[in-house]
Amino acid sequence: MTVSLSADARLSNAGARDFALPEDEAKAAWEADRQHLLHPWTNFASFKERGSFLVSGARGVHVYDTTGRQYLDGMAGLWCVNLGYGREDIVEAIADQARRMPYFTPFVDVGSLPAADLAKEIARIAPGDLNHVFFTCGGSTANDSAVRLIHFYHALRGKKDKRRLLVQMDSYHGSTYLTHSMSGRHTARSPLLNFETEMVQTLRSPNTYRRPEGMDEAGFLDLLISEMEERILSLGADTIAAFFAEPLMGAGGVIVPPRGYHARVQGLCRKYDILYVSDEVVTGFGRLGHFFASAEHFGLEPDIIISAKGITSGYQPLGAVIYSDRMQAVLNAAPEEAWFTNGFTYSGHPVVCAAALATIRAMEAEDICGHVRENGPKFETALKSLLDIDIVGDVRGSHFMMCVEAVADQKTKELFAPKADVGHRIADHAHELGLIARSIGNLIVLSPPLIFTEDHIAETAATLREAITRTRADLKADGFLA
């Protein structure tokens, strides 16, 4: 399938009447944002000059800026708008619950019908004996709460010294103080901030593309497992509470571990009484073609799954700690004085839970997971065609979770100098061409809505090819490429 990159094909006027603002209003909104709003992950030096790209509306798989210009959303918002924009069924579920009861406290022994119904639904679709749920406000608070639950669990077992957490380089688990400390993306760690370094222990990244030179994938797997076991023994298994891992790492660059990695790591965790936590904030709810990727995609039986993002298709903020019957049995045996003192005002918020219930209903009714299993491999194939461009070193991922890594030399895998800013250059050109893609250093990450069609896939690949080609010309002109 060939997709034209003409202006008409890229930048449709559809939605302009709905989302375009008068020029003076658009300028005032841009200035208000620049002067008063602190964004996540802000670089103040560039922000004070460039300000923000303001999105004023969205429909289907497209977003629109304040001029009414259309962009194909290659990021599903931020890994989350899985069912696309403008879903009236989800919107109506939110509105109906807000009219019925917008909120009541979830603390101690008070509950709401939507929260109870959602917990039951999650237990139904979760793998194995993961039949218990604690609700939070997002992925960061879910991972943070999981740590507290894990420490509480071990303490009830008489193993209070089991507090350390094993994480991986290049991982991402959130933005609370603790979960950012657990995130192994050291390049994202500002030297102006503090992080927990004793309780959190970081292991080598399972990045198969960046394995030691001359080592095959099987040898790399053996190295990872050997190093992990050595670390466990050196720290003392009786001090280690849990291992946290994303099935595929998201923000770290869609890192694909060697085949068999998760099963062997889980074997070590069971051997040394370490809980295995599968952080499925990104991979859960359909991105890899299943509600949860751990069991179906990787043959993994985690003790805990962390979920957020796609659980409501991004329509409301929700996180979930989904844990096992085995853990619940220990919690049920807790003495009367042992309270689990962790919670949030908006845990199990009824309106948010209504959005999640509507999302699950829609996913099952429309067989979204089946659609991803059918079309995800086509997305992989389309993006891997970019490997014929000499500055594309790797295209990796699975289904609708992909990454393109730019390199200065395909054979040596040498990176461009940081000043080349290659990822931003590619993303900026893609933006100019009508595609929203995420740059992370030398990487371009794509995680589109799960309703992407073959036409959307072809358009994405063609647009990204043009963006990389333009970037290559820029790099050559600026002396970063021979």
Side-chain angles (χ1 to χ4, degrees), residues 149-402:
L149 182 64
I150 289 164
H151 285 168
F152 187 73
Y153 162 81
H154 283 308
L156 288 174
R157 300 170 66 223
K159 299 185 177 185
K160 197 169 183 178
D161 290 338
K162 289 180 78 68
R163 296 185 52 78
R164 285 192 171 116
L165 310 170
L166 297 179
V167 300
Q168 304 156 301
M169 188 73 75
D170 294 329
S171 64
Y172 181 79
H173 297 293
S175 289
T176 66
Y177 176 81
L178 177 57
T179 57
H180 200 175
S181 298
M182 292 165 58
S183 299
R185 286 181 59 212
H186 287 185
T187 55
R189 293 194 175 195
S190 168
L192 303 178
L193 297 174
N194 297 315
F195 301 92
E196 170 61 47
T197 57
E198 164 54 25
M199 185 167 66
V200 177
Q201 298 288 317
T202 305
L203 305 172
R204 182 195 293 261
S205 170
N207 187 340
T208 305
Y209 178 64
R210 291 288 173 182
R211 64 184 181 269
E213 186 176 356
M215 182 177 288
D216 63 14
E217 185 174 330
F220 183 47
L221 174 57
D222 289 339
L223 174 65
L224 293 169
I225 299 304
S226 174
E227 287 184 345
M228 181 176 177
E229 187 160 26
E230 288 174 6
R231 180 69 70 85
I232 291 170
L233 294 174
S234 66
L235 293 171
D238 57 348
T239 72
I240 303 173
F243 171 77
F244 279 72
E246 302 160 89
L248 291 185
M249 292 184 189
V254 191
I255 301 300
V256 179
R259 285 183 292 274
Y261 172 79
H262 289 292
R264 289 187 62 181
V265 168
Q266 185 173 56
L268 283 182
C269 288
R270 288 176 172 170
K271 179 179 179 180
Y272 292 108
D273 189 25
I274 297 168
L275 292 179
Y276 193 108
V277 183
S278 187
D279 183 345
E280 292 220 45
V281 167
V282 173
T283 58
F285 282 83
R287 188 144 296 282
L288 301 187
H290 304 279
F291 271 105
F292 297 103
S294 295
E296 298 287 349
H297 202 75
F298 294 98
L300 182 62
E301 298 179 12
D303 298 288
I304 296 174
I305 286 179
I306 305 299
S307 184
K309 294 190 183 291
I311 194 172
T312 65
S313 201
Y315 279 64
Q316 291 282 284
L318 177 64
V321 182
I322 311 165
Y323 64 96
S324 69
D325 289 343
R326 292 155 292 164
M327 293 183 67
Q328 185 66 30
V330 173
L331 302 181
N332 286 342
E336 187 175 348
E337 65 272 15
W339 288 68
F340 180 54
T341 53
N342 179 66
F344 306 92
T345 298
Y346 297 125
S347 292
H349 192 289
V351 174
V352 177
C353 290
L357 287 164
T359 296
I360 293 171
R361 285 194 297 269
M363 288 185 66
E364 292 188 322
E366 299 167 26
D367 190 19
I368 294 298
C369 290
H371 175 82
V372 173
R373 290 194 299 271
E374 179 182 351
N375 290 281
K378 298 173 185 176
F379 191 49
E380 296 174 36
T381 299
L383 292 185
K384 285 180 179 178
S385 71
L386 301 174
L387 285 165
D388 65 0
I389 306 174
D390 61 357
I391 66 167
V392 175
D394 192 29
V395 177
R396 58 179 176 262
S398 180
H399 294 76
F400 284 150
M401 184 176 178
M402 298 295 295

Side-chain angles (χ1 to χ4, degrees), residues 343-476:
F344 306 92
T345 298
Y346 297 125
S347 292
H349 192 289
V351 174
V352 177
C353 290
L357 287 164
T359 296
I360 293 171
R361 285 194 297 269
M363 288 185 66
E364 292 188 322
E366 299 167 26
D367 190 19
I368 294 298
C369 290
H371 175 82
V372 173
R373 290 194 299 271
E374 179 182 351
N375 290 281
K378 298 173 185 176
F379 191 49
E380 296 174 36
T381 299
L383 292 185
K384 285 180 179 178
S385 71
L386 301 174
L387 285 165
D388 65 0
I389 306 174
D390 61 357
I391 66 167
V392 175
D394 192 29
V395 177
R396 58 179 176 262
S398 180
H399 294 76
F400 284 150
M401 184 176 178
M402 298 295 295
C403 175
V404 177
E405 179 165 348
V407 294
D409 189 302
Q410 281 185 330
K411 292 183 179 180
T412 66
K413 304 179 185 179
E414 178 187 355
L415 296 174
F416 285 98
K419 288 185 178 180
D421 206 18
V422 62
H424 278 118
R425 289 181 191 244
I426 295 172
D428 285 349
H429 279 305
H431 185 274
E432 293 166 2
L433 293 164
L435 170 68
I436 304 296
R438 184 182 183 189
S439 68
I440 304 172
N442 60 307
L443 310 174
I444 293 295
V445 171
L446 291 158
S447 60
L450 305 186
I451 59 173
F452 249 37
T453 65
E454 289 189 52
D455 286 342
H456 298 136
I457 289 168
E459 181 183 349
T460 299
T463 305
L464 193 55
R465 174 176 291 277
E466 178 65 17
I468 295 171
T469 300
R470 293 185 183 187
T471 297
R472 189 187 185 286
D474 293 344
L475 292 169
K476 188 170 184 177

